[in-house]
Amino acid sequence: MSQEKQHISSYTSHFVVLITLIILTGISVAVTRVEMGPLNTLVAMIIAGAKASVVLAWFMHLKFDNKLFAIFTALVLVIFLLVLYVTFFDYSYR
Amino acid sequence: MEKITEHTAHVHRDDEGDKLGMWLFIFTELLLFGMLFLIYAVYRYKNPVAFQLGGEELDVFLGTLNTVILLISSATVAMSITAMQKGEKTKALILLGTTLFIAVVFLINKWFEWGAKIDYGLYPNSENLLELGHGTTLFFGLYYVMSGIHALHILIGIGLFVFVYRQIMVNKINKTDYVWLENVGLYWHLVDLIWIFLFPLFYLIH
Amino acid sequence: MSETNTTNQHVSFLKYQGKYKGLLGWILSTDHKRVGLLYLYTMLVFFSTAAILGLLMKLELIAPGMTIMGPQTYNAMFTVHGIIMIFIIVVPGLPAVFGNFFLPLMIGAKDVAFPRLNLLSWWVYVIGILTVLSSQFIGGWPDTGWTFYAPYSFRTPVNILPALFGAFILGFSSILTGINFIVTMHRMRCPGMTWFKMPLFPWTLYATAWIQVLATPVIGITLLLTVMERVMGVGIFNPAMGGDPILYQHLFWIYSHPAVYIMILPGMGVISEILPVFSRKRIYGYKAIVLSSLAIAFVGYFVWGHHMFTSGMSGRALYAFSFLTFLVAIPSAIKVFNWVSTMYKGSLNLQTPFYWAVSFIFVFMIGGLTGLVLGSLATNVHVHDTHFVVAHFHFIVFGGTGFSFMAALHYWFPKMFGRMYDRTWANTGWVIFFSGFLTLYLPMFYLGILGMPRRYYDYLPEFHGGNIISSLGAIAMIAGILIVFVNLIRSSRHGEKVTEKNPWGGRTLEWQTDTPPTLENWETEPTVTEQPYEYK
């Protein structure tokens, strides 16, 4: 039952993904030199989030695998962010 | 995932199930690091200036270098899966070997980075650090804990790569049965994923 | 490979001889049923140990002043009692014993998805226990309470490291079980067993397994950080170095509150199995029970702060956590209504498992409703850290998990051992246990409201009366436990033989296989066509 048809990613696609990731890293380092106040952290996190999504979707194959994995990953992320949010109910108002 | 066992005779192979199991394990890791990020968020919120000054102490060049090579290693392990799926065993081994090599280089870089900090007297509970105040103590405490646990994962990854490399050599992992390689790949991407967030949060604070 | 076993058909898993004989045949067996029993025996030993510690504490409290032990011993007692009961008994409890044994049977699988991992998780569990217990020999029993609160845990002169490491290792075991169960339920249901044809015990195990996977790493990293704090002085929870001890409490309860649902959810599943069988009626509101289990698992993540109402959190956080706490009470209440409605107009079959199940509902309701007292801010401040809290969580944890564990044991006993227990003794044991339980814990609510603080070996003379009643109740309850255990242990070897597949007339799959089940559970793979609990 297990041998469902596998999606085989090509070498080229992995290479393109890698270049994208390196470019994003470059942008992330470069943008640090621009003074934006608290926005700097936000931008850094957005870029990191983009990189993470690329890794999840292509390298970790979420884009091609069983959709269940992607749903679970999203769920875990939501739970983590909610825990973070609820924790800051304490710290932002203390 | 395993073959015969003494008491459970039925041999059932379920690659999809094995991968689901691996993903669940990855979730535990994500939450483990997630809590470290939560601690980081709380203390950075409370000590913004100290964290910024602490971040400026770190070597952006070494950090960026490690980020880039870790990304490359992620790509090579992904490519080695492609090679395995296509049945190109030698290529798969070369790509896996590259990943293994990069993992070791990453740790060597880390070694020098930590070494330099420790030479400065910046390590947990050191007098220098305590003099710098609470915020800096927390920053470096978290720096050592988080990059330390991350490095531990790299070390485990190296062990896994050696194991998988041998399995490919003896054809236990082959064109039709490569879920072990896939799962180790997933693990390695997780290690990369964590670093993607560690890097800006420690090295690029501005 | 499977040829070797075709000759072994109809041989009970208890008698099956594999590569290893005797004890090795058990501790190296990957058969889910044997692994389940390994957990059961281990827990029996440690439950008895911790129960005796509990009894000793109640004896200490029978009179004010020092009765049989001093303050340091008392601190060690409640700490070890807590660590054993929480980390070794109730958290793994139902999933590890009955989940391992019956999950594959109930969904028509031959084993769990990763049998070797399953055996490994038992080994990890044993290693964790040994690590915890080794603290006795290296540096004395821990005395911080099972919560290991900062900064006690890195200030106490006793060596707390073995306990911290032990709890960390036990967490691994829990995670492995959780991963195993989720994959098993996703991949190994028999033909026709759709998600909504799955019995309720597997469903609650599913919700539990998710909590095990997603919450346990939180305690893992927290304990690890405490170890680092103690060994290297990292400063993360140390107020002297800028750390925030309240953050430790946050992290601790981000795990430990969901852990309460790890304890109770499978218990709810067991009750949902037993009531339809002994009421001969289909369960009322199957989907409501399923969805409320998942809702509890989800909302349960965000209520941890109600353990910290007096810790100095921000006011905004207090309101938020109090609100969320009330929210999580709703799905629990839904279940109680479902159970009562299931019994309504059923033809009740009054047997021991049913008694345990009904008394579960009773104590669970008391525990749940007093939980609301603790969940609302004003009353919480009054009774915080008093015996009221102790009574509340014993009603939930012991009343909930303990009673459902006993119910499960009496319900599935004939299937597990192929023998029946002595019903008269079983019922006697239940009566004594139940009345002892109420006598033990009900006075503690009263004492708590009067203001008797927890975790002291001594108290003011005005609390004497209630404590005498409570301590006598403890003795009665231990007597009840003894009767139940002796009866079950005796019957597992000498009880009346049961060979029929379905002694209670259950409708779920585990009653369709041999008693006791054979090595691979099924002669032919079962197929499911109807809902569970379809009584006509």
Side-chain angles (χ1 to χ4, degrees), chain C residues 10 12 16 22 27 47 57 76 80 84 131 154 177-178 185 212 240 248 291 303 363 372 377 379 389 405 485 487-488:
Chain C
H10 284 295
S12 133
Y16 178 78
I27 60 175
F47 174 79
M57 280 190 284
V80 177
I84 294 182
T131 316
F154 44 86
T177 307
M185 272 177 270
Q212 285 176 311
Y248 174 88
L291 295 178
V303 301
V363 292
L372 292 179
L377 293 172
T379 44
V389 179
F405 195 93
F485 281 0
N487 181 29
L488 290 179

Side-chain angles (χ1 to χ4, degrees), chain C residues 358-402:
Chain C
V358 174
S359 49
F360 165 91
I361 300 179
F362 181 73
V363 292
F364 179 69
M365 269 175 61
I366 295 181
L369 293 173
T370 50
L372 292 179
V373 174
L374 291 166
S376 50
L377 293 172
T379 44
N380 180 290
V381 172
H382 183 73
V383 293
H384 195 91
D385 261 347
T386 67
H387 271 221
F388 189 92
V389 179
V390 181
H392 158 72
F393 71 69
H394 278 88
F395 262 91
I396 288 289
V397 174
F398 193 15
T401 316

